[in-house]
Amino acid sequence: MEGDEDPRMRALTTLPRAVRRRHRHRLAALLLGVVALCLSHQLLLLALEYREYIYALLPEPPLPVQRREAATNSHRQPSDRQPSDRQPRILCLIVTSPKYHDTRSSHVAVTWARHCTRAVFLSTAGDSRLPDVFITPGAASYQELWGKVTQGFEWAYGNRHDFDWVVKADDDTFLVVENLQAALLRLDPDRALATGVQLRTWDTGSAYFNGGAGYVLSRGAVRRLVEDGLRGRRCGENLNLGANEDVNMALCLAHLGVVFLDSRDSLGRQRFHMYPPHELIDPRQANSITHLWLKRQSVFPYKFGYAELSDEAISFHYVDARSMYLLYYLVYVVNPNNQVTPINQIDRGGQVKGNKQVKENKRVNLSASDK
């Protein structure tokens, strides 16, 4: 048997090295092809899953021409408001800190905050430029924002008979208080109610109100929050609260049975906004890489564009000091219903001088032509 196997073994060992090398190369190429095919399949799946983010990286198209319906107000629900109706009393709790007193909150104090029934700034230090400050000791950093806000609502609870609703806002929020009052007019403030722009958390998908756009609690909700959630410790002991103040607030309110209301207008357009108007007015922003997350996390469709902005807007976020004055000027100062002085009644002193100058110019021109 050994003599029979030796010739076969010798034949195998005498195969040219080039042939053996070719077999190894073919096997390696096959394996690489299989790996490349698997990777291509995975990349294709990822591209399909995140295609919106890929599109967002492409060059931005020109701003399209946008139009609104001619009679937007015709879509509003008929109002049964009577002249004798009392406007809801709004307490504005504005979260700030000493490092932003100069660049943010002092400008809020002289603009929209004056339209609140009472505006109270939550800060760790007083400031003569802020007319009403509630000092929140031990809550200086962002990680301690939940403590700062709950201290503010504890104070609001102690003064709850002076207000119907409490709105929590940031020092870079712009609030149209009159639109908020109109939206709340027919609601009972002694029911446990809350509203704002609703989002979903990334991890659990639970709904919460974005804190930057501002959220509103009724007097009944404030009572339940403080008596049961904070002092009764139902929220702290039964919930896994984190660092995000607005998420904590929603978890606590939902745990206490507070009803969350849809804050959109009758056409389904958002009234509480997480961004400033110059971003919201651009429909291209809906597909920008910084806003794509809203398609997944917003409870209701969050739309961008001139035609999608509600004429009953209540709030805007990320508003700097210059834009704060600009918005206040456009909302409260420039008004088509204001009495406008006719042009022909303006003092003509400057116009007479202008006419004289025109005549002098004509005379110079004529004399130049005569020459």
mmCIF file of all heavy atoms in Angstrom, residues 52-57 284-293:
data_model
loop_
_atom_site.group_PDB
_atom_site.id
_atom_site.type_symbol
_atom_site.label_atom_id
_atom_site.label_comp_id
_atom_site.label_asym_id
_atom_site.label_seq_id
_atom_site.Cartn_x
_atom_site.Cartn_y
_atom_site.Cartn_z
ATOM 1 N N GLU A 52 -32.708 61.030 4.197
ATOM 2 C CA GLU A 52 -33.033 62.438 4.395
ATOM 3 C C GLU A 52 -31.809 63.215 4.866
ATOM 4 O O GLU A 52 -31.620 64.381 4.499
ATOM 5 C CB GLU A 52 -34.164 62.574 5.406
ATOM 6 C CG GLU A 52 -35.499 62.016 4.898
ATOM 7 C CD GLU A 52 -36.566 62.052 5.963
ATOM 8 O OE1 GLU A 52 -36.211 62.089 7.153
ATOM 9 O OE2 GLU A 52 -37.757 62.035 5.601
ATOM 10 N N TYR A 53 -30.969 62.586 5.685
ATOM 11 C CA TYR A 53 -29.756 63.252 6.148
ATOM 12 C C TYR A 53 -28.747 63.400 5.010
ATOM 13 O O TYR A 53 -27.991 64.375 4.957
ATOM 14 C CB TYR A 53 -29.131 62.468 7.303
ATOM 15 C CG TYR A 53 -29.968 62.498 8.555
ATOM 16 C CD1 TYR A 53 -30.947 61.538 8.798
ATOM 17 C CD2 TYR A 53 -29.798 63.507 9.504
ATOM 18 C CE1 TYR A 53 -31.727 61.564 9.943
ATOM 19 C CE2 TYR A 53 -30.568 63.548 10.657
ATOM 20 C CZ TYR A 53 -31.538 62.575 10.860
ATOM 21 O OH TYR A 53 -32.308 62.620 11.991
ATOM 22 N N ILE A 54 -28.729 62.424 4.094
ATOM 23 C CA ILE A 54 -27.842 62.520 2.932
ATOM 24 C C ILE A 54 -28.295 63.656 2.025
ATOM 25 O O ILE A 54 -27.493 64.460 1.540
ATOM 26 C CB ILE A 54 -27.816 61.181 2.174
ATOM 27 C CG1 ILE A 54 -27.238 60.079 3.072
ATOM 28 C CG2 ILE A 54 -27.000 61.299 0.891
ATOM 29 C CD1 ILE A 54 -27.292 58.693 2.466
ATOM 30 N N TYR A 55 -29.623 63.750 1.778
ATOM 31 C CA TYR A 55 -30.148 64.837 0.952
ATOM 32 C C TYR A 55 -29.837 66.192 1.569
ATOM 33 O O TYR A 55 -29.609 67.178 0.864
ATOM 34 C CB TYR A 55 -31.665 64.695 0.784
ATOM 35 C CG TYR A 55 -32.098 63.465 0.040
ATOM 36 C CD1 TYR A 55 -33.355 62.890 0.262
ATOM 37 C CD2 TYR A 55 -31.266 62.847 -0.891
ATOM 38 C CE1 TYR A 55 -33.757 61.749 -0.415
ATOM 39 C CE2 TYR A 55 -31.661 61.709 -1.579
ATOM 40 C CZ TYR A 55 -32.904 61.164 -1.331
ATOM 41 O OH TYR A 55 -33.290 60.042 -1.994
ATOM 42 N N ALA A 56 -29.852 66.239 2.915
ATOM 43 C CA ALA A 56 -29.617 67.518 3.595
ATOM 44 C C ALA A 56 -28.201 68.032 3.381
ATOM 45 O O ALA A 56 -27.942 69.231 3.546
ATOM 46 C CB ALA A 56 -29.890 67.361 5.089
ATOM 47 N N LEU A 57 -27.276 67.150 3.024
ATOM 48 C CA LEU A 57 -25.895 67.558 2.792
ATOM 49 C C LEU A 57 -25.680 68.115 1.388
ATOM 50 O O LEU A 57 -24.631 68.685 1.100
ATOM 51 C CB LEU A 57 -24.954 66.373 3.028
ATOM 52 C CG LEU A 57 -24.932 65.814 4.464
ATOM 53 C CD1 LEU A 57 -24.075 64.569 4.515
ATOM 54 C CD2 LEU A 57 -24.442 66.861 5.449
ATOM 55 N N ARG A 284 -37.235 75.324 3.253
ATOM 56 C CA ARG A 284 -36.073 74.449 3.057
ATOM 57 C C ARG A 284 -35.528 73.919 4.369
ATOM 58 O O ARG A 284 -34.859 72.883 4.399
ATOM 59 C CB ARG A 284 -34.980 75.214 2.311
ATOM 60 C CG ARG A 284 -35.383 75.713 0.931
ATOM 61 C CD ARG A 284 -34.334 76.641 0.353
ATOM 62 N NE ARG A 284 -34.150 77.827 1.179
ATOM 63 C CZ ARG A 284 -33.257 78.778 0.938
ATOM 64 N NH1 ARG A 284 -32.473 78.676 -0.126
ATOM 65 N NH2 ARG A 284 -33.150 79.834 1.737
ATOM 66 N N GLN A 285 -35.847 74.617 5.468
ATOM 67 C CA GLN A 285 -35.343 74.189 6.767
ATOM 68 C C GLN A 285 -35.932 72.856 7.221
ATOM 69 O O GLN A 285 -35.357 72.177 8.068
ATOM 70 C CB GLN A 285 -35.646 75.268 7.816
ATOM 71 C CG GLN A 285 -34.897 76.562 7.623
ATOM 72 C CD GLN A 285 -33.400 76.376 7.708
ATOM 73 O OE1 GLN A 285 -32.898 75.696 8.596
ATOM 74 N NE2 GLN A 285 -32.679 76.966 6.767
ATOM 75 N N ALA A 286 -37.055 72.468 6.649
ATOM 76 C CA ALA A 286 -37.660 71.190 7.027
ATOM 77 C C ALA A 286 -36.742 70.028 6.695
ATOM 78 O O ALA A 286 -36.791 68.979 7.362
ATOM 79 C CB ALA A 286 -39.005 71.024 6.318
ATOM 80 N N ASN A 287 -35.898 70.179 5.680
ATOM 81 C CA ASN A 287 -34.987 69.122 5.262
ATOM 82 C C ASN A 287 -33.535 69.428 5.596
ATOM 83 O O ASN A 287 -32.639 68.736 5.112
ATOM 84 C CB ASN A 287 -35.126 68.878 3.755
ATOM 85 C CG ASN A 287 -36.508 68.370 3.390
ATOM 86 O OD1 ASN A 287 -37.040 67.486 4.041
ATOM 87 N ND2 ASN A 287 -37.099 68.933 2.342
ATOM 88 N N SER A 288 -33.301 70.457 6.412
ATOM 89 C CA SER A 288 -31.929 70.751 6.822
ATOM 90 C C SER A 288 -31.504 69.736 7.875
ATOM 91 O O SER A 288 -32.319 69.192 8.621
ATOM 92 C CB SER A 288 -31.821 72.172 7.384
ATOM 93 O OG SER A 288 -32.449 72.252 8.645
ATOM 94 N N ILE A 289 -30.216 69.493 7.948
ATOM 95 C CA ILE A 289 -29.714 68.448 8.835
ATOM 96 C C ILE A 289 -29.949 68.790 10.305
ATOM 97 O O ILE A 289 -29.991 67.903 11.160
ATOM 98 C CB ILE A 289 -28.216 68.202 8.551
ATOM 99 C CG1 ILE A 289 -27.784 66.844 9.106
ATOM 100 C CG2 ILE A 289 -27.349 69.338 9.103
ATOM 101 C CD1 ILE A 289 -26.476 66.352 8.571
ATOM 102 N N THR A 290 -30.116 70.084 10.616
ATOM 103 C CA THR A 290 -30.349 70.481 12.008
ATOM 104 C C THR A 290 -31.800 70.322 12.445
ATOM 105 O O THR A 290 -32.092 70.381 13.637
ATOM 106 C CB THR A 290 -29.927 71.943 12.217
ATOM 107 O OG1 THR A 290 -30.624 72.771 11.275
ATOM 108 C CG2 THR A 290 -28.432 72.109 12.019
ATOM 109 N N HIS A 291 -32.713 70.104 11.489
ATOM 110 C CA HIS A 291 -34.130 70.025 11.844
ATOM 111 C C HIS A 291 -34.788 68.695 11.479
ATOM 112 O O HIS A 291 -35.968 68.498 11.773
ATOM 113 C CB HIS A 291 -34.908 71.152 11.148
ATOM 114 C CG HIS A 291 -34.454 72.527 11.535
ATOM 115 N ND1 HIS A 291 -34.302 73.550 10.620
ATOM 116 C CD2 HIS A 291 -34.093 73.035 12.731
ATOM 117 C CE1 HIS A 291 -33.879 74.630 11.246
ATOM 118 N NE2 HIS A 291 -33.747 74.343 12.527
ATOM 119 N N LEU A 292 -34.028 67.798 10.867
ATOM 120 C CA LEU A 292 -34.624 66.524 10.456
ATOM 121 C C LEU A 292 -35.136 65.708 11.635
ATOM 122 O O LEU A 292 -36.071 64.920 11.485
ATOM 123 C CB LEU A 292 -33.600 65.706 9.665
ATOM 124 C CG LEU A 292 -33.370 66.138 8.211
ATOM 125 C CD1 LEU A 292 -32.251 65.321 7.604
ATOM 126 C CD2 LEU A 292 -34.645 65.981 7.390
ATOM 127 N N TRP A 293 -34.544 65.899 12.789
ATOM 128 C CA TRP A 293 -34.957 65.122 13.960
ATOM 129 C C TRP A 293 -36.424 65.365 14.327
ATOM 130 O O TRP A 293 -37.076 64.494 14.916
ATOM 131 C CB TRP A 293 -34.066 65.450 15.148
ATOM 132 C CG TRP A 293 -34.206 66.866 15.649
ATOM 133 C CD1 TRP A 293 -33.609 67.976 15.165
ATOM 134 C CD2 TRP A 293 -35.015 67.300 16.750
ATOM 135 N NE1 TRP A 293 -33.987 69.091 15.876
ATOM 136 C CE2 TRP A 293 -34.842 68.705 16.848
ATOM 137 C CE3 TRP A 293 -35.853 66.650 17.647
ATOM 138 C CZ2 TRP A 293 -35.489 69.460 17.821
ATOM 139 C CZ3 TRP A 293 -36.493 67.395 18.624
ATOM 140 C CH2 TRP A 293 -36.312 68.781 18.705
#
